[in-house]
Amino acid sequence: MIDQLLDQRYKVLQILGAGGFGRTYIAQDLKQPSKPKCVIKQLQPQGVDDPTLSDASRDNRWDMAHKFFEKEAETLEVLGNHDQIPRLLAYFEEEQEFYLVQEFIDGHPLSSELIQGQPWSETQAIALLKDILTILEFVHGKNVIHRDIKPDNIIRRKRDNKLVLVDFGAVKQVRGQMMTNSGAFGWTVSIGTEGYRPPEQAAGRPRLNSDLYALGMIAIQALTGINAFDLRLSYSDPNTDEIHWQDKVTNVSPGLIEFLTKMLRQNWRDRYESATAALQALESLTASPPENNYQPTVVPTAVATQLPVTTPPPAPVAGTEVAPAAQPTQQPTQATTASKTASKPLPLKPIGLAVAGILALALVGGGVRSLMSSSGDSNQAVSNSTVNSEVQSDNELISSGDRILIPNEGLDNQKFQELKESGVAAMAKKDYVTAYKNFNQALTIRRNAPETLIYLNNAEIGDKKSYTLAAVVPIKDGKDPGRALEMLRGFAQAQKEVNENGGINGVPLKLAIVNDYDNKEKATEVAENLVDDSNIIGVMGHHITGVTEEVAPIYQQGNLVLITPISVVDELTDGSNPYLFRMNRANIAKGADELADYMVKNWQRRKVAIFYNQELDYTREMKDAFKGELFNEGEVVGEFDISKKSFNAYTGLQTAKANGAEVILLLPSLSTLDNAWDVLRIKNQSPDEFGDLKVLGDIATLYRLDTLKKGRDTEDMVLAVAWRRDPSDTQGFSQSSGKLWGAVNWVTAMSYDSARAFIAAIEQSDNPTRESIQKALVAPNFQTNGASGIITFKNNDVIPDIQMVTVKKMPSIEASESKTGYDFVPVEGGFSSF
C-alpha cells in the first residue's frame, strides 16, 4: 500500500493503523503546490458484494451505503469549521471503498503528557478543561456526541500548543452501519474506551453529557497521576459506583473538586446538563482564568498525529451519533419543549432519524393541541371519579367495564359469555352491585380471564375515589389477543393484590383497558384521549416499539408517565423523554453475547444459519448483535427472512445445511411464529437430514407457553431470557400467578412489575399528580418489589440479568410446572423456570 496513489492524487506514505474493516494512512496531496500531508481513513462497506444477492439488490445496497457516507461526510465538514477539530478536506469512492481525507495535525497526543505518578497543577487542569469544553460546546451545538474522548484522541498541536479533538469515528460509524447483510443498516449499543466511558454509554444510550464524564475523568487522571482505568477499578464505591478520588489530590481547591465530582457522577442526570453549563461553572471558579499556554514537562521526540484506526472489538461500533437533547429532572415548559424539538438533528444514522421523527411529532402535537386538555391543570390532584365515562363514551377503544374489548375471552363457554355481557351492561348503567355479581360468577367458570377480572375489580370500586391507570394492549380485532391477555394478566394481578390490601394509601386502583391495535394511528388516537382525561395518572403498555416511539411524545406533552413492559429494542429509552420508562430492557447485546458464547464454547460449533423477521426492529437488531458478538469466533452461513410469503422452511433448512450450518438461530416475531414452528417441525421430522442441527432461540418471543406445548419439536432448544419463574417463591408473584392463571410468562411478569412500579410511585404522595409520579420514579432511592425481586430504574430502564434456559422433557405431564410435559430449565442446573 505504501506509495499507492489514491484518487489519482493522494500518495500513501505511512499506514497508521488497520482493522478488519478499514485502514488509516498518512498521505501526501500531490495536487497541492506544497504537497502537504493529510490523513486518509478508508472503509470497505460490508455486504455490498454478497454473491447470494441479485444485481439489483447489490446495487440498492451500494446506493444506500453511498447516501449514508455522504451524510457522514457532510457532518464532518460542519464539525471541521472549528479551529480545534481536523478539517474534512475531501471524500471519495474508489473500487467500492469509501475514503475520508482529513487535515493532518502535527503534534503529540495528550496521553504523552499524563505520566503515572506525576500529578498536574490545578492551573494546568483548568486550562485543559476550558480548552476541551469550548470544543465540546461547538460539537454538542451540532447535536453530535464524540463518544470516545480520551487522552489519545486529544492532540496538542505543535504550531500553537492548542488542543485539538480528533477521531470523531465516521469510519467506525459507517463500518458498524454496513455490517448487516439484510439490506438494513445495523447499529451497535456501546463504544468508547474503558475507564473514560460512562455507564449510560456502556449501556448503549450515550447523551451529550456522556462526553463531560470522559473529560472529567481525564482531568482527574491529570490531577491524581493515576490512570483512569485504575481509578475506576480501585476507587469505585461498591454500592453506588461513584469514584472516590477526592483524597488522592493535593493543592486542589474545593471548588474544582466539587466541579469535577459533578462531571463524574454515575447518573447522567446529576452531571452538568451541557458543555455550556459546565463551562460557565468552571469560569465562575476564578476571576482570572489560567492562560491556555501550558507547556508540557515532557514532550516525546516522536511526532504523533490522530489516533489510528484500531482492530475492532467483537461487536461493530458506532462513532458520531445524533444526540438526544439533555433533559432536566423537571418537565420543561411548552415554550422550552418547542425550542428544543425545533432543532433537527443531523441525519447521521437511521436511529437518529427515528429520534428526529419523534421530536418532530412532539412539536407538531404541541402546535395542534395544548400541553394539557381543557379538563384542567395536570398538577390537579386526582378527584373522586366514576368509571371515566367521558373517555369511554367518546372512544370505543377504551373501557373500564362498560364494553367488552376482548370478545373471544370466553366464547368457548356460553354461560361465561352471558355473565360477562350482563356485567358489562350493568357497568354501563353504573349498577356496580349487579356488575360485580355477574363478573364474579363468570370467573368461577373461567378463571383465566384477565379482562373480566379487571372489570370485577373496577365494579367493586364503583363511584368511590380511585387512582386510575391505563393498560394499553394490542387486542386488534379480537382474533388473536394472546399478547394482550398475557399483558392484562400482569396488570390485573397487581390491581387485585393492592386493592385486597387496602389500596394505595387507602385509595383503590382502577384500570382502564385500552386497545391500540398495534397500530400507530389508533395508538395516537387513544394516547390523545388518555392525555386529555385528567383521571388518568399513568399509562402501562403498548406492545410494538415503533408504536411506543410514535406516541411517547404525546404522553410527554401531557406530563403522563408511560411504562412499557416488554419492549426490548435498545434505543427506545434514549434519555430524550423523561416520561418514558421501560420495565424490561432485555439487553440485546448481552443476550446475543450469551447465545454466541454458548454456541462456541459449550457446543463447540461455529457455523450458524439465522431465521428471523426482517420486518421487525427487534429481530433485526438481535440478528445484527449476534453477528457482531460472533465476529471472528464463528460464521453466519445463511440468513432467512421468515416474514416473506415465499418462505419455505424445508428449503431454508436445506440451504443452511448445504452452506455448512451446524446451528440454527430462531428470531421470530409473534406474527411469524407459525413459520418458526415449521422450521422446528421439519427439523424434527427429518433427523437424517437435519437432526444434528442445534437450535438457539431469541430472548423474548420464544419464552412462552406455546414453546412448551410444541415440546416434541422444541426440546433442547437453548434460549437467553430476561426473566424466569421461580417456583420456590411461595409467597410472591410466581405462586399467586399460578393460582390466578395456571401458567404465566415473562410478558405477564413484566406487566405486573409495571403496575407495581406505578403503585409504589403513587404511594409516595398523599396527593399524587402526573408530575409527582415521574419524580418518584426517577428518584435515586426509588425501589419496590416485583416479579423478579427489587425494581429500580437506571436511566429510566430496568435492566434484568440474562439467563440461559433450555426446553427439557419432564418425567410426566403432572411433574412439569407448565403441565405440558416440558419445562424451561436452567442450562447449568437449578429450578424449573416455567
mmCIF file of all heavy atoms in Angstrom, residues 72-112:
data_model
loop_
_atom_site.group_PDB
_atom_site.id
_atom_site.type_symbol
_atom_site.label_atom_id
_atom_site.label_comp_id
_atom_site.label_asym_id
_atom_site.label_seq_id
_atom_site.Cartn_x
_atom_site.Cartn_y
_atom_site.Cartn_z
ATOM 1 N N GLU A 72 -22.492 11.362 6.355
ATOM 2 C CA GLU A 72 -21.417 11.364 7.348
ATOM 3 C C GLU A 72 -20.376 12.422 7.002
ATOM 4 O O GLU A 72 -19.902 13.158 7.868
ATOM 5 C CB GLU A 72 -20.752 9.986 7.402
ATOM 6 C CG GLU A 72 -21.552 8.940 8.130
ATOM 7 C CD GLU A 72 -21.607 9.239 9.614
ATOM 8 O OE1 GLU A 72 -20.556 9.316 10.261
ATOM 9 O OE2 GLU A 72 -22.722 9.413 10.124
ATOM 10 N N ALA A 73 -20.013 12.484 5.734
ATOM 11 C CA ALA A 73 -19.014 13.451 5.309
ATOM 12 C C ALA A 73 -19.511 14.874 5.517
ATOM 13 O O ALA A 73 -18.746 15.764 5.925
ATOM 14 C CB ALA A 73 -18.660 13.215 3.838
ATOM 15 N N GLU A 74 -20.789 15.105 5.241
ATOM 16 C CA GLU A 74 -21.357 16.433 5.467
ATOM 17 C C GLU A 74 -21.231 16.847 6.924
ATOM 18 O O GLU A 74 -20.924 17.994 7.250
ATOM 19 C CB GLU A 74 -22.828 16.437 5.044
ATOM 20 C CG GLU A 74 -23.035 16.351 3.540
ATOM 21 C CD GLU A 74 -24.500 16.151 3.185
ATOM 22 O OE1 GLU A 74 -25.339 16.192 4.109
ATOM 23 O OE2 GLU A 74 -24.808 15.952 2.003
ATOM 24 N N THR A 75 -21.474 15.909 7.827
ATOM 25 C CA THR A 75 -21.378 16.207 9.249
ATOM 26 C C THR A 75 -19.934 16.536 9.636
ATOM 27 O O THR A 75 -19.675 17.498 10.366
ATOM 28 C CB THR A 75 -21.885 15.008 10.076
ATOM 29 O OG1 THR A 75 -23.234 14.750 9.723
ATOM 30 C CG2 THR A 75 -21.796 15.309 11.561
ATOM 31 N N LEU A 76 -19.000 15.746 9.160
ATOM 32 C CA LEU A 76 -17.591 16.014 9.467
ATOM 33 C C LEU A 76 -17.147 17.348 8.887
ATOM 34 O O LEU A 76 -16.316 18.051 9.475
ATOM 35 C CB LEU A 76 -16.715 14.885 8.923
ATOM 36 C CG LEU A 76 -16.840 13.548 9.658
ATOM 37 C CD1 LEU A 76 -15.961 12.496 8.984
ATOM 38 C CD2 LEU A 76 -16.456 13.681 11.117
ATOM 39 N N GLU A 77 -17.696 17.722 7.751
ATOM 40 C CA GLU A 77 -17.353 19.010 7.162
ATOM 41 C C GLU A 77 -17.814 20.152 8.061
ATOM 42 O O GLU A 77 -17.089 21.126 8.268
ATOM 43 C CB GLU A 77 -18.002 19.141 5.783
ATOM 44 C CG GLU A 77 -17.631 20.440 5.064
ATOM 45 C CD GLU A 77 -18.268 20.527 3.699
ATOM 46 O OE1 GLU A 77 -19.346 19.932 3.492
ATOM 47 O OE2 GLU A 77 -17.688 21.191 2.821
ATOM 48 N N VAL A 78 -19.007 20.021 8.615
ATOM 49 C CA VAL A 78 -19.523 21.049 9.521
ATOM 50 C C VAL A 78 -18.672 21.126 10.783
ATOM 51 O O VAL A 78 -18.299 22.209 11.246
ATOM 52 C CB VAL A 78 -20.997 20.757 9.872
ATOM 53 C CG1 VAL A 78 -21.483 21.686 10.982
ATOM 54 C CG2 VAL A 78 -21.874 20.917 8.635
ATOM 55 N N LEU A 79 -18.325 19.972 11.349
ATOM 56 C CA LEU A 79 -17.521 19.965 12.561
ATOM 57 C C LEU A 79 -16.144 20.574 12.316
ATOM 58 O O LEU A 79 -15.570 21.227 13.191
ATOM 59 C CB LEU A 79 -17.369 18.536 13.088
ATOM 60 C CG LEU A 79 -18.641 17.862 13.612
ATOM 61 C CD1 LEU A 79 -18.345 16.437 14.031
ATOM 62 C CD2 LEU A 79 -19.240 18.647 14.774
ATOM 63 N N GLY A 80 -15.613 20.368 11.118
ATOM 64 C CA GLY A 80 -14.294 20.885 10.803
ATOM 65 C C GLY A 80 -14.207 22.387 10.718
ATOM 66 O O GLY A 80 -13.101 22.941 10.560
ATOM 67 N N ASN A 81 -15.346 23.063 10.838
ATOM 68 C CA ASN A 81 -15.317 24.534 10.849
ATOM 69 C C ASN A 81 -14.709 25.073 12.132
ATOM 70 O O ASN A 81 -14.393 26.256 12.210
ATOM 71 C CB ASN A 81 -16.735 25.089 10.669
ATOM 72 C CG ASN A 81 -17.264 24.876 9.258
ATOM 73 O OD1 ASN A 81 -16.495 24.863 8.302
ATOM 74 N ND2 ASN A 81 -18.569 24.690 9.133
ATOM 75 N N HIS A 82 -14.584 24.236 13.137
ATOM 76 C CA HIS A 82 -13.949 24.667 14.385
ATOM 77 C C HIS A 82 -12.435 24.523 14.246
ATOM 78 O O HIS A 82 -11.944 23.521 13.728
ATOM 79 C CB HIS A 82 -14.454 23.825 15.556
ATOM 80 C CG HIS A 82 -14.109 24.399 16.892
ATOM 81 N ND1 HIS A 82 -12.842 24.332 17.447
ATOM 82 C CD2 HIS A 82 -14.872 25.070 17.802
ATOM 83 C CE1 HIS A 82 -12.836 24.921 18.627
ATOM 84 N NE2 HIS A 82 -14.065 25.376 18.870
ATOM 85 N N ASP A 83 -11.722 25.511 14.739
ATOM 86 C CA ASP A 83 -10.272 25.533 14.568
ATOM 87 C C ASP A 83 -9.583 24.362 15.261
ATOM 88 O O ASP A 83 -8.474 23.981 14.878
ATOM 89 C CB ASP A 83 -9.716 26.856 15.108
ATOM 90 C CG ASP A 83 -8.196 26.901 15.047
ATOM 91 O OD1 ASP A 83 -7.653 26.824 13.928
ATOM 92 O OD2 ASP A 83 -7.559 26.991 16.128
ATOM 93 N N GLN A 84 -10.239 23.778 16.281
ATOM 94 C CA GLN A 84 -9.592 22.725 17.051
ATOM 95 C C GLN A 84 -10.195 21.349 16.771
ATOM 96 O O GLN A 84 -10.184 20.460 17.604
ATOM 97 C CB GLN A 84 -9.657 23.065 18.543
ATOM 98 C CG GLN A 84 -8.768 24.245 18.913
ATOM 99 C CD GLN A 84 -9.055 24.773 20.299
ATOM 100 O OE1 GLN A 84 -9.906 25.650 20.475
ATOM 101 N NE2 GLN A 84 -8.357 24.262 21.288
ATOM 102 N N ILE A 85 -10.724 21.214 15.568
ATOM 103 C CA ILE A 85 -11.203 19.927 15.049
ATOM 104 C C ILE A 85 -10.635 19.782 13.640
ATOM 105 O O ILE A 85 -10.684 20.733 12.850
ATOM 106 C CB ILE A 85 -12.744 19.871 14.998
ATOM 107 C CG1 ILE A 85 -13.323 19.967 16.411
ATOM 108 C CG2 ILE A 85 -13.227 18.589 14.333
ATOM 109 C CD1 ILE A 85 -14.831 20.061 16.457
ATOM 110 N N PRO A 86 -10.061 18.631 13.290
ATOM 111 C CA PRO A 86 -9.484 18.470 11.949
ATOM 112 C C PRO A 86 -10.507 18.745 10.853
ATOM 113 O O PRO A 86 -11.650 18.289 10.922
ATOM 114 C CB PRO A 86 -9.028 17.006 11.924
ATOM 115 C CG PRO A 86 -8.847 16.645 13.347
ATOM 116 C CD PRO A 86 -9.882 17.413 14.108
ATOM 117 N N ARG A 87 -10.097 19.475 9.849
ATOM 118 C CA ARG A 87 -10.978 19.780 8.724
ATOM 119 C C ARG A 87 -11.123 18.571 7.807
ATOM 120 O O ARG A 87 -10.178 17.806 7.617
ATOM 121 C CB ARG A 87 -10.418 20.958 7.917
ATOM 122 C CG ARG A 87 -10.517 22.295 8.621
ATOM 123 C CD ARG A 87 -9.887 23.398 7.782
ATOM 124 N NE ARG A 87 -8.440 23.191 7.628
ATOM 125 C CZ ARG A 87 -7.818 23.178 6.465
ATOM 126 N NH1 ARG A 87 -8.482 23.341 5.337
ATOM 127 N NH2 ARG A 87 -6.508 23.006 6.406
ATOM 128 N N LEU A 88 -12.317 18.418 7.266
ATOM 129 C CA LEU A 88 -12.512 17.426 6.216
ATOM 130 C C LEU A 88 -12.108 18.074 4.901
ATOM 131 O O LEU A 88 -12.709 19.058 4.464
ATOM 132 C CB LEU A 88 -13.979 16.971 6.153
ATOM 133 C CG LEU A 88 -14.293 15.951 5.064
ATOM 134 C CD1 LEU A 88 -13.675 14.600 5.402
ATOM 135 C CD2 LEU A 88 -15.805 15.801 4.868
ATOM 136 N N LEU A 89 -11.091 17.535 4.264
ATOM 137 C CA LEU A 89 -10.568 18.122 3.039
ATOM 138 C C LEU A 89 -11.268 17.571 1.795
ATOM 139 O O LEU A 89 -11.451 18.287 0.813
ATOM 140 C CB LEU A 89 -9.059 17.855 2.939
ATOM 141 C CG LEU A 89 -8.221 18.362 4.124
ATOM 142 C CD1 LEU A 89 -6.771 17.972 3.954
ATOM 143 C CD2 LEU A 89 -8.369 19.872 4.280
ATOM 144 N N ALA A 90 -11.619 16.313 1.847
ATOM 145 C CA ALA A 90 -12.280 15.695 0.698
ATOM 146 C C ALA A 90 -12.820 14.334 1.107
ATOM 147 O O ALA A 90 -12.463 13.797 2.166
ATOM 148 C CB ALA A 90 -11.293 15.536 -0.464
ATOM 149 N N TYR A 91 -13.688 13.792 0.265
ATOM 150 C CA TYR A 91 -14.099 12.397 0.415
ATOM 151 C C TYR A 91 -14.368 11.852 -0.979
ATOM 152 O O TYR A 91 -14.751 12.578 -1.902
ATOM 153 C CB TYR A 91 -15.326 12.257 1.322
ATOM 154 C CG TYR A 91 -16.618 12.784 0.744
ATOM 155 C CD1 TYR A 91 -17.537 11.923 0.145
ATOM 156 C CD2 TYR A 91 -16.931 14.145 0.804
ATOM 157 C CE1 TYR A 91 -18.717 12.394 -0.380
ATOM 158 C CE2 TYR A 91 -18.114 14.633 0.284
ATOM 159 C CZ TYR A 91 -19.009 13.753 -0.313
ATOM 160 O OH TYR A 91 -20.183 14.224 -0.840
ATOM 161 N N PHE A 92 -14.125 10.565 -1.158
ATOM 162 C CA PHE A 92 -14.297 9.982 -2.476
ATOM 163 C C PHE A 92 -14.520 8.488 -2.366
ATOM 164 O O PHE A 92 -14.331 7.893 -1.288
ATOM 165 C CB PHE A 92 -13.076 10.284 -3.373
ATOM 166 C CG PHE A 92 -11.769 9.748 -2.839
ATOM 167 C CD1 PHE A 92 -11.305 8.475 -3.190
ATOM 168 C CD2 PHE A 92 -10.983 10.524 -1.989
ATOM 169 C CE1 PHE A 92 -10.100 7.997 -2.713
ATOM 170 C CE2 PHE A 92 -9.771 10.046 -1.501
ATOM 171 C CZ PHE A 92 -9.323 8.789 -1.861
ATOM 172 N N GLU A 93 -14.937 7.889 -3.470
ATOM 173 C CA GLU A 93 -15.142 6.450 -3.553
ATOM 174 C C GLU A 93 -14.198 5.891 -4.614
ATOM 175 O O GLU A 93 -13.965 6.513 -5.651
ATOM 176 C CB GLU A 93 -16.587 6.131 -3.934
ATOM 177 C CG GLU A 93 -17.613 6.691 -2.970
ATOM 178 C CD GLU A 93 -18.994 6.738 -3.584
ATOM 179 O OE1 GLU A 93 -19.214 5.999 -4.569
ATOM 180 O OE2 GLU A 93 -19.838 7.514 -3.100
ATOM 181 N N GLU A 94 -13.675 4.715 -4.356
ATOM 182 C CA GLU A 94 -12.780 4.084 -5.313
ATOM 183 C C GLU A 94 -12.864 2.574 -5.143
ATOM 184 O O GLU A 94 -12.614 2.061 -4.045
ATOM 185 C CB GLU A 94 -11.347 4.577 -5.100
ATOM 186 C CG GLU A 94 -10.397 4.223 -6.231
ATOM 187 C CD GLU A 94 -9.086 5.004 -6.119
ATOM 188 O OE1 GLU A 94 -9.046 6.150 -6.594
ATOM 189 O OE2 GLU A 94 -8.130 4.474 -5.519
ATOM 190 N N GLU A 95 -13.265 1.883 -6.179
ATOM 191 C CA GLU A 95 -13.370 0.420 -6.163
ATOM 192 C C GLU A 95 -14.219 -0.064 -4.983
ATOM 193 O O GLU A 95 -13.841 -0.941 -4.219
ATOM 194 C CB GLU A 95 -11.978 -0.218 -6.133
ATOM 195 C CG GLU A 95 -11.155 0.074 -7.380
ATOM 196 C CD GLU A 95 -9.796 -0.592 -7.350
ATOM 197 O OE1 GLU A 95 -9.502 -1.270 -6.340
ATOM 198 O OE2 GLU A 95 -9.045 -0.448 -8.320
ATOM 199 N N GLN A 96 -15.385 0.564 -4.847
ATOM 200 C CA GLN A 96 -16.363 0.224 -3.809
ATOM 201 C C GLN A 96 -15.773 0.324 -2.404
ATOM 202 O O GLN A 96 -16.092 -0.481 -1.521
ATOM 203 C CB GLN A 96 -16.954 -1.169 -4.046
ATOM 204 C CG GLN A 96 -17.892 -1.212 -5.247
ATOM 205 C CD GLN A 96 -18.880 -2.350 -5.174
ATOM 206 O OE1 GLN A 96 -18.583 -3.405 -4.624
ATOM 207 N NE2 GLN A 96 -20.058 -2.156 -5.726
ATOM 208 N N GLU A 97 -14.926 1.290 -2.199
ATOM 209 C CA GLU A 97 -14.423 1.627 -0.874
ATOM 210 C C GLU A 97 -14.586 3.127 -0.680
ATOM 211 O O GLU A 97 -14.483 3.910 -1.624
ATOM 212 C CB GLU A 97 -12.954 1.214 -0.717
ATOM 213 C CG GLU A 97 -12.754 -0.304 -0.736
ATOM 214 C CD GLU A 97 -11.288 -0.682 -0.594
ATOM 215 O OE1 GLU A 97 -10.430 0.194 -0.836
ATOM 216 O OE2 GLU A 97 -11.010 -1.833 -0.248
ATOM 217 N N PHE A 98 -14.848 3.520 0.559
ATOM 218 C CA PHE A 98 -15.038 4.926 0.892
ATOM 219 C C PHE A 98 -13.761 5.478 1.501
ATOM 220 O O PHE A 98 -13.087 4.789 2.278
ATOM 221 C CB PHE A 98 -16.171 5.083 1.911
ATOM 222 C CG PHE A 98 -17.519 4.687 1.371
ATOM 223 C CD1 PHE A 98 -18.354 3.860 2.113
ATOM 224 C CD2 PHE A 98 -17.960 5.146 0.145
ATOM 225 C CE1 PHE A 98 -19.596 3.499 1.630
ATOM 226 C CE2 PHE A 98 -19.207 4.792 -0.347
ATOM 227 C CZ PHE A 98 -20.027 3.969 0.393
ATOM 228 N N TYR A 99 -13.475 6.747 1.219
ATOM 229 C CA TYR A 99 -12.286 7.389 1.761
ATOM 230 C C TYR A 99 -12.640 8.783 2.275
ATOM 231 O O TYR A 99 -13.350 9.547 1.614
ATOM 232 C CB TYR A 99 -11.193 7.522 0.692
ATOM 233 C CG TYR A 99 -10.632 6.209 0.213
ATOM 234 C CD1 TYR A 99 -11.233 5.520 -0.843
ATOM 235 C CD2 TYR A 99 -9.502 5.661 0.807
ATOM 236 C CE1 TYR A 99 -10.723 4.308 -1.283
ATOM 237 C CE2 TYR A 99 -8.972 4.450 0.362
ATOM 238 C CZ TYR A 99 -9.590 3.778 -0.677
ATOM 239 O OH TYR A 99 -9.073 2.583 -1.105
ATOM 240 N N LEU A 100 -12.152 9.099 3.464
ATOM 241 C CA LEU A 100 -12.231 10.444 4.036
ATOM 242 C C LEU A 100 -10.833 11.023 4.082
ATOM 243 O O LEU A 100 -9.904 10.358 4.547
ATOM 244 C CB LEU A 100 -12.800 10.403 5.460
ATOM 245 C CG LEU A 100 -14.246 9.950 5.635
ATOM 246 C CD1 LEU A 100 -14.527 9.710 7.110
ATOM 247 C CD2 LEU A 100 -15.194 10.988 5.083
ATOM 248 N N VAL A 101 -10.686 12.238 3.620
ATOM 249 C CA VAL A 101 -9.394 12.913 3.661
ATOM 250 C C VAL A 101 -9.499 14.039 4.685
ATOM 251 O O VAL A 101 -10.318 14.952 4.526
ATOM 252 C CB VAL A 101 -9.008 13.477 2.281
ATOM 253 C CG1 VAL A 101 -7.603 14.092 2.335
ATOM 254 C CG2 VAL A 101 -9.079 12.394 1.215
ATOM 255 N N GLN A 102 -8.695 13.974 5.731
ATOM 256 C CA GLN A 102 -8.767 14.953 6.805
ATOM 257 C C GLN A 102 -7.420 15.646 7.018
ATOM 258 O O GLN A 102 -6.364 15.140 6.637
ATOM 259 C CB GLN A 102 -9.210 14.268 8.107
ATOM 260 C CG GLN A 102 -10.652 13.778 8.057
ATOM 261 C CD GLN A 102 -11.067 13.125 9.364
ATOM 262 O OE1 GLN A 102 -10.628 12.037 9.687
ATOM 263 N NE2 GLN A 102 -11.908 13.809 10.119
ATOM 264 N N GLU A 103 -7.527 16.771 7.651
ATOM 265 C CA GLU A 103 -6.348 17.576 7.962
ATOM 266 C C GLU A 103 -5.369 16.789 8.845
ATOM 267 O O GLU A 103 -5.776 16.113 9.791
ATOM 268 C CB GLU A 103 -6.814 18.837 8.681
ATOM 269 C CG GLU A 103 -5.718 19.765 9.125
ATOM 270 C CD GLU A 103 -6.247 20.910 9.955
ATOM 271 O OE1 GLU A 103 -7.462 20.895 10.294
ATOM 272 O OE2 GLU A 103 -5.467 21.819 10.267
ATOM 273 N N PHE A 104 -4.114 16.885 8.524
ATOM 274 C CA PHE A 104 -3.059 16.270 9.335
ATOM 275 C C PHE A 104 -2.699 17.226 10.475
ATOM 276 O O PHE A 104 -2.396 18.397 10.249
ATOM 277 C CB PHE A 104 -1.829 15.996 8.467
ATOM 278 C CG PHE A 104 -0.630 15.519 9.247
ATOM 279 C CD1 PHE A 104 -0.509 14.194 9.627
ATOM 280 C CD2 PHE A 104 0.391 16.406 9.603
ATOM 281 C CE1 PHE A 104 0.591 13.752 10.333
ATOM 282 C CE2 PHE A 104 1.493 15.970 10.312
ATOM 283 C CZ PHE A 104 1.602 14.639 10.671
ATOM 284 N N ILE A 105 -2.751 16.740 11.703
ATOM 285 C CA ILE A 105 -2.424 17.551 12.877
ATOM 286 C C ILE A 105 -1.021 17.184 13.337
ATOM 287 O O ILE A 105 -0.794 16.058 13.818
ATOM 288 C CB ILE A 105 -3.436 17.333 14.028
ATOM 289 C CG1 ILE A 105 -4.857 17.590 13.536
ATOM 290 C CG2 ILE A 105 -3.095 18.241 15.205
ATOM 291 C CD1 ILE A 105 -5.115 18.978 13.016
ATOM 292 N N ASP A 106 -0.138 18.090 13.187
ATOM 293 C CA ASP A 106 1.248 17.870 13.600
ATOM 294 C C ASP A 106 1.353 18.179 15.083
ATOM 295 O O ASP A 106 1.191 19.332 15.503
ATOM 296 C CB ASP A 106 2.185 18.782 12.788
ATOM 297 C CG ASP A 106 3.653 18.446 13.036
ATOM 298 O OD1 ASP A 106 3.920 17.508 13.801
ATOM 299 O OD2 ASP A 106 4.509 19.134 12.461
ATOM 300 N N GLY A 107 1.585 17.179 15.884
ATOM 301 C CA GLY A 107 1.648 17.376 17.320
ATOM 302 C C GLY A 107 1.828 16.065 18.048
ATOM 303 O O GLY A 107 2.276 15.074 17.474
ATOM 304 N N HIS A 108 1.466 16.048 19.320
ATOM 305 C CA HIS A 108 1.584 14.815 20.095
ATOM 306 C C HIS A 108 0.320 14.608 20.923
ATOM 307 O O HIS A 108 -0.368 15.575 21.274
ATOM 308 C CB HIS A 108 2.817 14.866 21.014
ATOM 309 C CG HIS A 108 2.733 15.939 22.052
ATOM 310 N ND1 HIS A 108 3.265 17.200 21.859
ATOM 311 C CD2 HIS A 108 2.191 15.966 23.294
ATOM 312 C CE1 HIS A 108 3.047 17.948 22.931
ATOM 313 N NE2 HIS A 108 2.402 17.214 23.816
ATOM 314 N N PRO A 109 -0.022 13.367 21.237
ATOM 315 C CA PRO A 109 -1.256 13.097 21.984
ATOM 316 C C PRO A 109 -1.119 13.503 23.446
ATOM 317 O O PRO A 109 -0.039 13.461 24.030
ATOM 318 C CB PRO A 109 -1.433 11.583 21.847
ATOM 319 C CG PRO A 109 -0.052 11.061 21.645
ATOM 320 C CD PRO A 109 0.670 12.110 20.869
ATOM 321 N N LEU A 110 -2.237 13.870 24.019
ATOM 322 C CA LEU A 110 -2.256 14.268 25.431
ATOM 323 C C LEU A 110 -1.796 13.126 26.330
ATOM 324 O O LEU A 110 -1.280 13.360 27.423
ATOM 325 C CB LEU A 110 -3.673 14.706 25.823
ATOM 326 C CG LEU A 110 -3.840 15.302 27.219
ATOM 327 C CD1 LEU A 110 -3.134 16.649 27.313
ATOM 328 C CD2 LEU A 110 -5.328 15.450 27.557
ATOM 329 N N SER A 111 -1.963 11.896 25.892
ATOM 330 C CA SER A 111 -1.555 10.751 26.704
ATOM 331 C C SER A 111 -0.069 10.796 27.043
ATOM 332 O O SER A 111 0.355 10.269 28.079
ATOM 333 C CB SER A 111 -1.886 9.442 25.985
ATOM 334 O OG SER A 111 -1.296 9.410 24.702
ATOM 335 N N SER A 112 0.729 11.434 26.183
ATOM 336 C CA SER A 112 2.157 11.514 26.465
ATOM 337 C C SER A 112 2.472 12.510 27.576
ATOM 338 O O SER A 112 3.571 12.514 28.131
ATOM 339 C CB SER A 112 2.922 11.909 25.195
ATOM 340 O OG SER A 112 2.571 13.220 24.786
#
